[in-house]
């Protein structure tokens, strides 16, 4: 495998997200090239600050479609239908993931409905099925970055994987764009030479096609006029503009921008994404694509801190799993790198295998510059950055400057395991969230003190904050020890039905104002692990992003009424919560059928198309069902249930054994080993109304 493979994956993924974040505020078509120029001039940094940045389709696709390698293409090359299944499994229809602009208008919406109605990939995205205009929009190249990241130094294989993924929704030049950019990303692992990177992309597309023509036109113009990218942009407007290609956002003009940005960017990461943004058209897509290529080529040291610091190693996504939507970038890049080793047929380094811990929060600060989205409540009193000066294990830690704090003054250092609408500046792509930290779990971290001033050593109080009341639950101060690592460990307390939205420590000074505390605190080996036991009190929840906290709802009309979670639907509808990696557990709630024949709980759900369901699914029957891209019955019995009657229902998953209990009596049992982990929740398979009560959950 290529030298420093993981670090280059990390730089490429960060580069992609920096480009997306830079281009997103000027993406709408109302932001023309001229308006961007006249408003922002020469862009050299983010043009808009976000409380937290909600990822859009340019990040959702690379994150969730890659899971085809986890769910289906485990021991064989990728096929288009593998990615098609990821589309159907991880998207909430009509919400998030990508642009749901209508059948025959949005290429992705068109492809999704084709798949939903039984048209398989690659026919789902073909010109024959959808016509040339729909098939050649930009989406063919904007969801493909991770296919390049898992095929380092293998442009042909990267292009094949990109084509398989892109063909779910695109064809013709739409697929050529995927091949070109995936090959370019793969080549960037071994060279920073832009011409060599472009040559690698061209080698993977037909000798005669419009995509090649626009690439060659830009290269020729740059060779003749290398001074000013704006001159090249005028050429693109004249010869390759939007007015020459049908549809909402055609791939060809934007391909020209990508090549222009790379050539005129001169191998610099920052200038490349800046040009891609200032050029207009599909700014976040283009800046994201070239950000991946230049991120890989330049490495983490080649990405200026002004683009990395606001990202802070974290993004939020818009898939169906609220748990997976809270994405720690170093952890995701480790998962991506492990897939790359697997595809290459090579054994991954032991350190990489040991550091990847799905289902746990684990921050080791080993990747260069990594911060794992750790935050500060008061950046005036404290500052945080990655450091290699002190480390409990390995080479890295988080360095926290405590800057002249007096007795009684403090600053929180924390991880955010849950979000609500108030945490965002806008409603981009309607993200939904399920916590990544729960009562009963163990929080552990190592702290090291290097104090320069102050007559008392500072203290650190572990704490969690609850979401609905913003109450900080401190666990008692521990004095830090000069020049030593100490272990700080605590159990997340019962939150009485609320979500945990901060986990960390409160650093507090004990020195008087005449001897203010000044020095460094180092944080390493931060983890949240172990079994959980908690309640979801519906009176403490709210409607957010057209969903109900802490659930991700898919179809149906969901509301909170009188302490109940109410579902009204015209057809199938489900809500999911809990850890995506929950294995053996039991959960219970009250289920009140109000109309219709289907009233279900779901368990070990790995998305919309994978998992189990149990409860009532027809009049006079109780069932346990398996959902594997379609429901089948695992067990069924007679049960004389009635409308407007509350039933205390519990589902238990233990190994391959699934149990349904109603009002304290075991009603059904089934054996199935198809799904060994997943979320839990509730819903129905057909028209009707149901009321669900508070949920209680316990890991076994």
């Amino acid at each position: 495998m290529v030298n420093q493979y993981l670090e280059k994956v990390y730089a490429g993924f960060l580069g992609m997200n920096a480009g997306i974040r830079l281009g997103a505020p000027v993406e709408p078509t109302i932001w023309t090239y001229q308006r961007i120029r006249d408003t922002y001039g020469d862009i050299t940094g983010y043009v808009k600050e976000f409380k937290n940045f909600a990822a859009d389709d340019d990040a959702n696709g690379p994150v969730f479609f890659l899971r085809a390698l986890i769910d289906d293409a485990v021991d064989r090359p990728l096929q288009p239908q593998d990615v098609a299944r990821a589309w159907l499994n991880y998207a909430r229809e009509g919400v998030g993931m990508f642009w749901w602009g209508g059948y025959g208008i949005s290429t992705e919406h068109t492809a999704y409905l084709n798949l939903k109605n039984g048209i398989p990939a690659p026919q789902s995205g073909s010109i024959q099925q959808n016509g040339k205009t729909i098939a050649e929009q930009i989406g063919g190249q904007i969801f493909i970055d991770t296919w390049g990241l898992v095929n380092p130094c293998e442009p042909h294989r990267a292009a094949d994987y990109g084509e398989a993924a892109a063909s779910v929704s695109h064809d013709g030049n739409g697929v050529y764009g995927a091949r070109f950019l995936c090959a370019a990303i793969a080549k960037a692992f071994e060279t920073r030479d832009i011409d060599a990177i472009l040559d690698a992309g061209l080698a993977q597309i037909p000798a005669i096609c419009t995509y090649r023509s626009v690439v060659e036109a830009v290269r020729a113009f740059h060779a003749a006029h290398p001074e000013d990218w704006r001159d090249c942009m005028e050429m693109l407007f004249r010869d390759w503009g939007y007015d020459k290609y049908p549809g909402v956002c055609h791939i060809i003009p934007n391909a020209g921008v990508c090549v222009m940005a790379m050539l005129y960017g001169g191998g610099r990461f920052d200038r490349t994404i800046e040009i891609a943004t200032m050029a207009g058209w599909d700014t976040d897509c283009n800046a994201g694509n070239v950000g991946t290529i230049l991120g890989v080529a330049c490495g983490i040291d080649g990405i200026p801190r002004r683009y990395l610091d606001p990202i802070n190693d974290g993004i939020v996504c818009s898939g169906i799993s609220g748990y997976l939507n809270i994405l720690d970038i170093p952890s995701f890049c480790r998962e991506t790198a492990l897939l790359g080793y697997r595809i290459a047929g090579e054994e991954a380094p032991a350190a990489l295998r040991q550091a990847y811990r799905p289902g746990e929060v684990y921050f080791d600060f080993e990747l260069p510059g990594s911060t794992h989205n750790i935050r500060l409540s008061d950046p005036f009193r404290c500052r945080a950055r990655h450091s290699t000066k002190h480390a409990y294990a390995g080479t890295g830690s988080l360095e926290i400057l405590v800057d002249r704090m007096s007795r009684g003054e403090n600053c929180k250092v924390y991880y955010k395991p849950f979000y609500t609408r108030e945490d965002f500046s806008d409603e981009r792509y309607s993200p939904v969230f399920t916590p990544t930290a729960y009562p009963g779990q163990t929080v552990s971290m190592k702290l090291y003190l290097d104090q320069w001033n102050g007559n008392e050593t500072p203290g650190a109080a572990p704490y969690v904050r609850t979401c609905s009341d913003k109450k900080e639950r401190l666990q008692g101060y521990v004095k830090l020890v000069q020049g030593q690592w100490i272990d700080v460990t605590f159990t997340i307390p019962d939150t009485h039905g609320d979500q945990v939205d901060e986990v960390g420590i409160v650093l507090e000074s004990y020195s008087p104002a005449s001897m203010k505390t000044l020095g460094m605190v180092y944080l390493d080996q931060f983890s949240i692990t172990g079994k959980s036991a908690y309640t979801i009190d519906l009176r403490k929840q709210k409607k957010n992003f057209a969903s109900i906290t802490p659930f991700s709802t898919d179809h149906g009309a969901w509301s909170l009424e009188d302490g109940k979670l109410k579902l009204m639907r015209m057809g199938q509808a489900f809500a999911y919560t809990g850890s995506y990696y929950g294995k053996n557990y039991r959960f219970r709630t009250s289920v009140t059928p109000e109309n219709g024949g289907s009233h279900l709980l779901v368990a070990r759900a790995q998305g919309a198309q994978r998992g189990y369901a149990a409860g009532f699914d027809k009049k006079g029957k109780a069932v346990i069902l398996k959902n594997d891209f379609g429901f089948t019955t695992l067990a069924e019995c007679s049960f004389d249930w009635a409308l407007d009657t509350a039933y205390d229902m519990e589902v238990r998953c233990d190994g391959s054994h699934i149990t349904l209990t109603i009002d304290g009596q075991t009603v059904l049992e089934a054996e199935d080993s198809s799904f060994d982990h997943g979320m839990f929740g509730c819903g129905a398979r057909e028209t009707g109304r149901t009321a669900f009560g508070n949920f209680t959950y316990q890991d076994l």
Side-chain angles (χ1 to χ4, degrees), residues 227-297:
E227 297 83 12
D228 191 344
W229 69 268
R230 292 190 185 274
D231 292 337
C232 186
M233 194 65 215
E234 293 299 329
M235 181 275 291
L236 286 175
F237 279 125
R238 183 187 71 235
D239 298 341
W240 305 92
Y242 268 24
D243 59 310
K244 295 170 179 62
Y245 299 94
V248 177
C249 189
H250 202 278
I251 198 169
I252 293 302
N254 292 289
V257 167
C258 290
V259 176
M260 177 187 72
M262 286 190 280
L263 288 170
Y264 285 89
R268 285 175 48 193
F269 173 87
D270 52 354
R271 199 57 185 157
T272 301
I273 64 169
E274 288 157 9
I275 291 171
T277 298
M278 289 186 287
W281 288 337
D282 205 334
T283 50
D284 57 342
C285 299
N286 298 333
N289 281 145
V290 299
T292 305
I293 297 169
L294 271 294
V296 171

Side-chain angles (χ1 to χ4, degrees), residues 400-467:
I400 304 154
L401 171 65
V402 180
D403 193 358
R404 291 166 293 174
M405 288 202 307
S406 301
R407 181 181 295 133
E409 295 177 339
N410 60 56
C411 178
K412 296 187 295 182
V413 182
Y414 64 95
Y415 162 66
K416 192 162 180 58
F418 185 68
Y419 298 83
T420 61
R421 173 64 183 85
E422 65 190 41
D423 295 312
F424 296 88
S425 306
D426 54 16
E427 301 204 7
R428 293 173 51 79
Y429 283 80
S430 299
V432 288
F433 304 104
T434 291
T436 55
Y438 293 95
Q441 291 190 297
T442 299
V443 180
S444 179
M445 68 194 81
K446 308 296 183 184
L447 297 173
Y448 181 96
L449 176 64
D450 179 14
Q451 187 172 355
W452 310 330
N453 191 66
N455 63 353
E456 293 282 350
T457 56
Y463 86 100
V464 300
R465 190 181 80 164
T466 41
C467 181

